């Protein structure tokens, strides 16, 4: 028979994603099937062609399949006879004109040869086919209807033409269905899934198609041939899934997903794949197209079953529970001898015989080791019967015993595609649950170490939560040892969260003297709402291309541990190279309308014995009910000398309904790429977080302008001379001031602005934003002039002005001081005479 071409156009018949109303399907569809939801151009929009008075025809389906001996076009015509007499179909015929101009007369497919006439008051569907040669597009295809006319030159008369428009596509879009008639039963079909499996170096595709039986009888034989096509044009023949439990019978009103399988090369891209169904016309010896579907995005099923978790599988339409209940191992020479207990239970209502599954123990290094599985060879379970099967396997000690899997695979058969059923994780751990401050011993390629789980912190990080596990490692050997570069593999329950993990060591010089201890921090992020009760951390090193385990930590002690610091109490940053003392200088609020700015100043003193970069701090303000507000931190990038002090500013916008007096400041040392971040760097996490109580300063504004503190500046306005001349619209003010600056602290960019507001006797005001060092110069006996203009000043006779001084930060102001000064009225000389 003809073979499908492996070309890009093989089943990718149209680049558009439109489809006709799915009430009409492949060449065996009927017009009475229930419509479904596809959008776009429908063949109904082409209308009908009148054959004679009371008799009409419409085009209900078009399909195309490329084949080596010429491309086959099928189309279905629905004839409606509204008269009281039967109409012979032999009086009418049709021809197809391809977009290239080729004209071919249509012939009925074998299943439609029975249709000789259209009974009175009825509708008759007839499917035709033509071989259109190399033509491979249906758009622009014309189907013309004719009748015999012996009065014309060629004895025929054209009755009308259906032209397939550019907006029409035979390919069913994703998430839409198409109605077919299979074995005289109306069926709704829909492409549900595309799964990719990798097993023993091969790649398999599993296509899921749902069949909804709309008829009154069971659908027992699909009688379909399936082909999977890649976006690049490669085509693979599909076979029905005949694994254990596969049942292809669809009962009336039942919806069932049936799977089709194929093997394909690993280099084939699996995006934008499509499925085509065809049926063989044995009499014509050709394959006729039925339907084409755009498949959903390919997924790779997770067959891994965590230890002690029940995996349900379907065997002969019965659900069977499977579980690897326990695993014990004993060393014997260079081998590990495993004893496994595997539980099976028939949860169905009839007896079931288990297939002779192939079982293997698979190592993470890629090796497979046989398992004695004779117990599966003839195991029959009655309804609700449960049995535990003893399995044994021998595995070399050279492979990683902590990453073994028990693989359950369908039994092999000639011509059958073999799929794995499940991969059961074999539980193995050298250490039990580790508790805080309890040291346990580790023996690895680098020597013997004492390992202690110190604490764990769970804190916000952007829109997630950051977990920080602190581990102390002590050298138990009589000689020094250098720790390798470590990477953290983290399992929270059974979820691998290692993608964001990083390992930070206390000192980049990781040579441990005998009995010396180093702190190691493992950081990772989890969704902030994710809860779990068990944590497993493996610290690994890379040796060549291999991964070697340095230590494993298991713990269920997951409560958050954050040290609390009293307000105004200093605390230490202890990491070598960046040791410092931190103490709060002040905390205040810059009021706003919808939100306030929470502002804290810290003093950070270098406690190293030489000039040293300080740690970039990370901060959050926290409410009593555990709401976190990310804070911005500004620090000097200039490393201070021994005992040198740096000013650190921390601020965040807080909703106005949050009581600032109830906030605490969570403060930690920023890290990135496995090391502490220096000021100006971009942290990807933070460690050693403390909860700092805050001393809220709510001082009333000064009633004079002397000694105004805007650290590191101190401003004193010693006098203000304000004058207005009678008849003039100008008020002049000259301020005398002293401005001092303290060099006690290194600081980052100064973000405060001084706002000077002058209020005249009329209640009018003018504000000026002034920058220290430019608008107001450092020094004593300095002057600053302000001028106001108003027509009201022309008749002003005395009064006073008021000067208000504000600290503006990030656009929000706080009044620091206010004072009133006398206004002097001057008269022109002509007025004094």
């Amino acid at each position: 028979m003809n073979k499908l071409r492996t070309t890009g156009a093989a089943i990718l018949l149209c680049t558009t994603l439109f489809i006709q109303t799915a009430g009409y399907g492949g060449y065996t569809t009927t017009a009475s099937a229930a419509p479904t939801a596809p959008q776009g151009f429908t063949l109904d929009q082409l209308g009908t062609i009148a054959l004679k008075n009371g008799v009409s025809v419409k085009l209900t389906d078009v399909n195309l399949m490329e084949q080596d001996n010429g491309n086959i076009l099928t189309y279905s015509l629905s004839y409606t006879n509204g008269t009281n007499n039967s109409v012979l179909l032999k009086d009418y015929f049709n021809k197809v004109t391809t977009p290239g101009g080729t004209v071919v007369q249509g012939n009925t497919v074998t299943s439609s040869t029975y249709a000789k006439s259209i009974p009175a008051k009825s509708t008759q569907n007839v499917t035709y086919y033509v071989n259109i040669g190399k033509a491979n597009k249906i758009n622009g295809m014309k189907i013309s209807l004719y009748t015999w006319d012996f009065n014309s030159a060629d004895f025929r008369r054209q009755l009308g033409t259906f032209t397939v428009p550019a907006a029409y596509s035979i390919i069913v879009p994703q998430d839409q269905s198409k109605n077919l008639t299979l074995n005289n039963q109306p069926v709704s079909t829909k492409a549900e899934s595309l799964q990719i499996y990798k097993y023993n170096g091969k790649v398999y595709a599993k296509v899921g198609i749902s069949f909804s039986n709309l008829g009154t009888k069971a659908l027992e034989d699909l009688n379909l041939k399936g082909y999977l096509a890649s976006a690049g044009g490669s085509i693979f023949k599909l076979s029905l899934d005949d694994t254990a439990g596969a049942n292809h019978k669809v009962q009336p009103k039942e919806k069932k997903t049936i799977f089709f399988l194929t093997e394909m090369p690993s280099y084939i891209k699996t995006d934008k794949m499509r499925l085509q169904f065809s049926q063989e016309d044995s009499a014509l010896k050709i394959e006729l197209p039925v339907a084409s579907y755009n498949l959903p995005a390919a997924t790779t099923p997770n067959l891994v079953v965590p230890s002690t978790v029940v995996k349900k599988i379907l065997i002969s339409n019965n659900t069977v529970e499977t579980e690897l209940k326990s695993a014990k191992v004993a060393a014997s020479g260079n081998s590990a001898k495993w004893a496994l207990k595997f539980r099976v239970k028939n949860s169905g209502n009839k007896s079931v015989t288990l297939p002779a599954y192939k079982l293997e123990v698979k190592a993470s290094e890629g090796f497979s080791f046989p398992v004695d599985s004779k117990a599966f060879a003839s195991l029959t379970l009655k309804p609700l019967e449960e049995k535990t099967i003893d399995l044994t396997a021998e595995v070399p000690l050279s492979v990683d015993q902590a990453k073994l899997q028990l693989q359950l695979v369908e039994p092999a058969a000639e011509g059958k595609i073999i799929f794995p059923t499940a991969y059961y994780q074999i539980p193995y751990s050298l250490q039990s649950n580790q508790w805080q401050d309890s040291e346990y011993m580790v023996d690895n390629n680098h020597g013997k170490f004492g390992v202690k789980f110190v604490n764990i912190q769970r804190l916000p990080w952007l829109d997630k939560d950051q977990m920080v596990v602190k581990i102390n490692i002590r050298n138990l050997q009589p000689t020094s040892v250098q720790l390798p570069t470590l990477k953290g593999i983290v399992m929270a329950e059974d979820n691998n969260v290692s993608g964001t993990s990083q390992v930070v060591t206390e000192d980049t010089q990781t040579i441990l003297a005998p009995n010396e201890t180093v702190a190691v921090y493992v950081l990772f992020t989890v969704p902030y709402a994710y809860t779990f009760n068990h944590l497993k951390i493996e610290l690994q090193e890379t040796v060549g291309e291999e991964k070697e385990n340095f230590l494993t930590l298991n713990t269920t002690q997951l409560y958050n541990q954050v040290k609390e610091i009293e307000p105004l109490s200093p605390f230490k940053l202890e990491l070598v190279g960046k040791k410092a003392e931190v103490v709060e200088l002040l905390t205040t609020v810059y009021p706003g309308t919808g939100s306030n700015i929470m502002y804290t100043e810290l003093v950070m003193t270098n406690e190293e014995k030489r000039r040293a970069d300080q740690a970039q701090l990370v901060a959050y303000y926290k409410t009593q009910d555990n709401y976190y507000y990310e804070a911005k931190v500004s620090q000097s990038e200039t490393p201070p000398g021994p005992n040198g002090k740096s000013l650190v500013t921390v601020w965040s916008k807080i909703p106005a309904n949050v009581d600032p007096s109830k906030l605490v400041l969570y403060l930690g040392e920023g890290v990135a790429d496995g090391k502490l971040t220096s000021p100006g760097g971009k942290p990807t996490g933070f460690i050693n977080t403390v909860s700092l109580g805050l001393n809220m300063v709510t001082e009333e504004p000064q009633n004079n302008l002397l000694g105004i503190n805007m650290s590191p500046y101190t401003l004193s306005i010693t006098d203000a001379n304000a004058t207005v001349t009678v008849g003039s619209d100008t008020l002049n003010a000259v301020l005398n001031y002293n401005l001092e600056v303290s060099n006690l602290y290194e600081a980052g960019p100064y973000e405060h602005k001084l706002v000077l507001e002058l209020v005249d006797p009329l209640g009018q005001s003018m504000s000026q934003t002034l920058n220290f060092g430019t608008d107001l110069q450092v020094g004593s006996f300095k002057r600053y002039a302000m001028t106001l203009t108003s027509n009201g000043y022309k008749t002003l006779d005395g009064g006073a002005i008021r000067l208000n001084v504000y600290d503006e930060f990030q656009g929000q102001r706080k009044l620091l001081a206010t004072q009133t000064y006398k206004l002097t009225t001057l008269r022109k000389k002509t007025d004094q005479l």
Side-chain angles (χ1 to χ4, degrees):
M1 64 174 296
N2 298 333
K3 296 181 179 179
L4 289 178
R5 297 179 187 170
T6 55
T7 63
I11 66 169
L12 311 181
L13 303 177
C14 180
T15 57
T16 62
L17 292 177
F18 299 106
I19 184 171
Q20 78 273 22
T21 299
Y24 310 101
Y27 82 97
T28 56
T29 58
T30 61
S32 61
T36 49
Q39 303 296 314
F41 187 90
T42 66
L43 294 178
D44 273 344
Q45 294 174 251
L46 296 178
T48 61
I49 295 175
L51 302 182
K52 67 176 190 178
N53 189 26
V55 182
S56 63
V57 64
K58 65 179 179 180
L59 179 65
T60 60
D61 188 42
V62 181
N63 236 311
L64 178 66
M65 175 180 280
E66 288 194 5
Q67 301 186 35
D68 290 338
N69 295 330
N71 301 334
I72 300 300
L73 175 78
T74 63
Y75 52 98
S76 296
L77 297 176
S78 179
Y79 297 90
T80 300
N81 179 8
T83 69
N84 294 319
N85 300 311
S86 178
V87 175
L88 295 175
L89 283 174
K90 69 179 183 179
D91 293 336
Y92 304 94
F93 59 97
N94 58 77
K95 293 186 177 183
V96 172
T97 305
T98 69
T102 302
V103 180
V104 188
Q105 182 164 334
N107 296 297
T108 56
V109 300
T110 301
S111 61
S112 291
T113 54
Y114 73 92
K116 304 296 183 183
S117 63
I118 315 168
K121 305 295 183 179
S122 70
T123 295
Q124 183 73 55
N125 295 315
V126 182
T127 298
Y128 302 84
Y129 81 97
V130 292
N131 188 321
I132 56 175
K134 300 294 184 180
N136 59 10
K137 292 184 181 297
I138 61 169
N139 308 102
M141 201 78 69
K142 296 181 179 180
I143 301 170
S144 301
L145 276 295
Y146 298 88
T147 188
W148 300 109
D149 187 352
F150 297 100
N151 294 322
S152 64
D154 56 356
F155 305 105
R156 66 182 182 181
R157 175 165 50 89
Q158 184 172 332
L159 301 173
T161 298
F162 296 109
T163 301
V164 180
Y168 179 81
S169 171
I170 67 169
I171 302 175
V172 183
Q174 292 180 25
D175 298 324
Q176 297 189 20
S177 58
K178 180 167 183 173
N179 286 9
L180 308 174
T181 298
L182 302 176
N183 294 339
N184 297 318
Q185 291 291 102
V187 179
S188 177
T189 63
K190 181 182 176 183
E192 299 287 354
S193 63
L194 171 62
Q195 298 175 328
I196 302 299
Y197 293 79
K198 296 180 180 180
Y199 176 67
N200 279 353
K202 297 182 179 180
V203 177
Y204 301 96
K206 186 175 185 179
V207 181
I209 306 294
S210 65
F211 291 82
S212 298
N213 188 348
L214 307 178
T216 58
K217 297 180 181 179
L219 177 65
E220 296 190 5
D221 185 5
L222 299 179
N223 193 26
L224 291 172
K225 290 188 174 183
Y227 298 91
L228 179 65
S230 71
S234 299
I235 295 178
F236 307 94
K237 186 176 181 179
L238 294 165
S239 60
L240 270 171
D241 178 19
D242 59 351
T243 55
N247 185 348
H248 306 138
K249 180 186 291 187
V250 187
Q251 299 292 346
K253 311 307 177 185
E254 181 186 18
K255 179 180 179 180
K256 177 180 288 185
T257 297
I258 296 177
F259 295 95
F260 295 79
L261 314 174
T262 190
E263 179 183 344
M264 61 184 188
S266 59
Y267 57 80
I268 294 295
K269 294 183 178 180
T270 58
D271 55 325
K272 298 182 180 178
M273 300 198 89
R274 297 186 182 181
L275 164 71
Q276 177 158 2
F277 279 144
S278 67
Q279 286 183 332
E280 184 175 357
D281 193 319
S282 57
L284 298 174
K285 296 183 179 180
I286 58 175
E287 280 190 55
L288 301 174
V290 174
S292 298
Y293 308 81
N294 276 327
L295 292 174
T299 60
T300 301
N302 183 11
L303 300 179
V304 177
V305 183
S307 58
T308 71
V309 171
V310 174
K311 167 72 174 179
K312 295 181 179 180
I313 58 179
L314 197 66
I315 302 175
S316 300
N317 212 30
N318 265 25
T319 298
V320 176
E321 294 180 6
T322 65
E323 177 189 6
L324 181 58
K325 287 192 66 176
S326 66
K328 294 183 179 179
V329 61
S332 177
N334 294 324
S335 297
K337 291 188 175 182
W338 286 90
L340 311 175
K341 289 189 178 296
F342 193 81
R343 183 183 71 89
V344 290
K345 179 183 178 181
N346 180 7
S347 299
N349 55 12
K350 60 182 180 180
S351 295
V352 61
T353 299
L354 272 64
Y357 286 112
K358 177 184 177 182
L359 281 85
E360 294 177 330
V361 170
K362 185 72 174 289
S364 60
E365 294 85 351
F367 303 106
S368 295
F369 305 96
V371 174
D372 182 1
S373 56
K374 294 178 182 178
F376 278 107
S378 57
L379 180 60
T380 299
L381 297 174
K382 299 175 183 178
L384 302 181
E385 184 178 6
E386 176 177 328
K387 288 188 177 181
T388 298
I389 303 170
D390 291 322
L391 305 172
T392 59
E394 188 169 326
V395 178
L397 287 174
S398 57
V399 302
D400 190 348
Q401 305 294 311
K403 297 180 181 179
L404 299 179
Q405 293 178 337
L406 175 66
Q407 296 193 349
L408 191 68
V409 182
E410 288 281 339
E414 185 176 354
K416 178 181 177 181
I417 296 177
I418 304 301
F419 272 78
T421 300
Y423 302 151
Y424 302 87
Q425 288 183 339
I426 299 177
Y428 172 78
S429 178
L430 285 177
Q431 295 86 28
S432 59
N433 188 32
Q434 277 86 49
W435 297 94
Q436 183 179 0
D437 293 329
S438 296
E439 190 176 69
Y440 66 97
M441 304 302 117
V442 167
D443 191 352
N444 56 38
N445 293 333
H446 295 273
K448 296 182 184 296
F449 300 90
V451 176
K452 184 185 296 184
F453 163 48
V454 181
N455 64 26
I456 188 168
Q457 293 184 334
R458 180 167 184 165
L459 300 167
W461 181 254
L462 305 178
D463 60 342
K464 296 182 174 60
D465 270 3
Q466 170 197 260
M467 307 289 294
V468 181
V469 179
K470 183 178 180 181
I471 304 168
N472 282 349
I473 300 176
R474 183 166 64 97
N475 180 14
L476 300 181
Q477 299 178 123
T479 58
S480 296
V481 64
Q482 181 166 2
L483 293 182
T485 300
L486 297 172
K487 179 181 179 181
I489 305 300
V490 185
M491 298 292 295
E493 297 294 0
D494 297 311
N495 293 316
N496 190 326
V497 292
S498 306
T500 59
S501 70
Q502 59 177 309
V503 177
V504 179
T505 54
E506 182 178 13
D507 186 4
T508 54
Q509 188 71 25
T510 53
I511 296 179
L512 294 182
N515 208 41
E516 187 178 10
T517 299
V518 66
V520 174
Y521 301 82
V522 181
L523 292 79
F524 58 97
T525 59
V526 295
Y528 87 93
Y530 178 54
T531 59
F532 56 95
N533 298 315
H534 177 257
L535 185 66
K536 178 182 178 181
I537 296 175
E538 291 183 11
L539 293 183
Q540 296 180 347
E541 64 170 316
T542 301
V543 180
E545 296 182 355
E546 303 295 326
K547 305 292 184 183
E548 291 188 2
N549 185 275
F550 185 85
L551 66 84
T552 300
L553 182 144
N554 288 277
T555 186
T556 57
Q557 193 173 1
L558 302 179
Y559 54 85
N560 200 12
Q561 299 170 302
V562 178
K563 183 179 181 180
E564 295 182 358
I565 307 298
E566 292 296 321
L568 301 179
S569 297
F571 63 94
K572 305 286 186 179
L573 305 181
E574 297 289 354
L575 288 186
V576 176
K578 296 184 184 296
K579 289 184 178 181
E581 181 186 84
V582 181
V583 66
E584 177 193 10
L585 186 63
L586 67 90
T587 296
T588 189
V589 172
Y590 290 84
T593 52
S595 63
N596 300 324
I597 289 180
M598 192 74 177
Y599 177 88
T600 300
E601 288 184 354
L602 307 168
V603 176
M604 198 168 177
T605 304
N606 176 21
E607 293 197 334
E608 296 290 343
K609 295 181 179 180
R610 55 188 48 81
R611 182 182 180 88
D613 277 327
Q614 295 184 321
Q616 171 68 53
L617 299 181
V618 176
Y620 285 82
Y621 288 101
K622 175 184 172 295
T623 67
Q624 288 181 317
D625 49 353
N626 296 321
Y627 284 85
Y628 293 86
Y629 297 94
E630 184 179 359
K632 294 187 177 181
V633 179
S634 177
Q635 295 175 244
S636 171
E637 295 184 21
T638 302
N643 295 317
K645 298 180 182 297
S646 295
L647 185 68
V648 180
T649 60
V650 182
W651 68 275
S652 180
K653 281 194 174 182
I654 307 294
N657 60 351
V658 174
D659 185 356
S661 66
K662 301 292 180 63
L663 297 177
V664 294
L665 182 63
Y666 270 38
L667 204 64
E669 300 165 78
V671 296
D673 300 323
K675 57 185 178 182
L676 286 172
T677 309
S678 297
K682 187 175 182 180
T684 56
F686 57 112
I687 61 176
N688 292 332
T689 301
V690 299
S691 174
L692 181 61
L694 299 174
N695 179 43
M696 182 70 62
V697 176
T698 55
E699 294 180 350
E700 292 295 323
Q702 297 178 197
N703 57 10
N704 61 69
L705 304 185
L706 300 176
I708 301 171
N709 180 27
M710 289 184 65
S711 180
Y713 296 96
T714 302
L715 173 67
S716 294
I717 298 178
T718 57
D719 190 26
N721 183 17
T723 61
V724 63
T725 301
V726 175
S728 172
D729 62 353
T730 301
L731 186 153
N732 297 304
V734 177
L735 313 182
N736 299 312
Y737 69 91
N738 299 327
L739 181 63
E740 299 176 359
V741 60
S742 171
N743 295 319
L744 180 61
Y745 308 121
E746 296 284 353
Y750 190 74
E751 298 179 275
H752 296 262
K753 295 179 181 179
L754 182 140
V755 177
L756 186 62
E757 181 185 44
L758 189 154
V759 182
D760 66 19
L762 303 177
Q764 302 174 119
S765 66
M766 178 189 74
S767 295
Q768 289 190 359
T769 300
L770 306 176
N771 294 312
F772 292 121
T774 54
D775 301 313
L776 295 179
Q777 296 181 353
V778 176
S780 301
F781 309 109
K782 301 292 184 180
R783 293 165 58 89
Y784 183 80
M786 300 177 69
T787 300
L788 279 73
T789 302
S790 173
N791 286 329
Y793 298 159
K794 293 180 180 180
T795 59
L796 196 63
D797 187 10
I801 65 167
R802 186 172 74 253
L803 290 179
N804 297 324
V805 176
Y806 296 87
D807 176 6
E808 183 179 281
F809 184 79
Q810 301 297 327
Q812 293 183 196
R813 297 177 179 179
K814 182 175 64 170
L815 180 63
L816 299 180
T818 182
Q819 188 169 346
T820 301
Y821 296 89
K822 179 181 178 181
L823 175 66
T824 301
T825 302
L826 303 178
R827 300 183 183 278
K828 297 178 182 178
K829 292 182 178 181
T830 54
D831 296 335
Q832 298 173 351
L833 295 177

